[in-house]
Amino acid sequence: MKILTDKRKDKLADYALNVSVASFAVAAFDNNWWGVLPALVGLALFFFLTQEN
């Protein structure tokens, strides 16, 4: 039994992309440079989960 099925993997990738967009928006609005760090981690997770095998 796989824990990370394709459907769960797609949902996690969508969630990571949404979190990264929200983090960029908050960082831009509050003028916080450190708010970009979770956005970059979210984007990295998104690209890691959506890569072709």
Side-chain angles (χ1 to χ4, degrees):
M1 181 174 154
K2 286 177 61 175
I3 293 175
L4 191 59
T5 61
D6 288 337
K7 186 176 179 181
R8 288 181 182 166
K9 191 176 183 183
D10 289 341
K11 284 189 175 194
L12 184 60
D14 289 341
Y15 178 72
L17 186 61
N18 289 338
V19 166
S20 66
V21 169
S23 294
F24 274 128
V26 169
F29 182 73
D30 287 341
N31 200 17
N32 292 331
W33 64 269
W34 50 265
V36 177
L37 296 177
L40 294 177
V41 171
L43 282 177
L45 181 62
F46 172 76
F47 286 121
F48 175 73
L49 290 172
T50 57
Q51 69 183 357
E52 300 274 333
N53 288 335

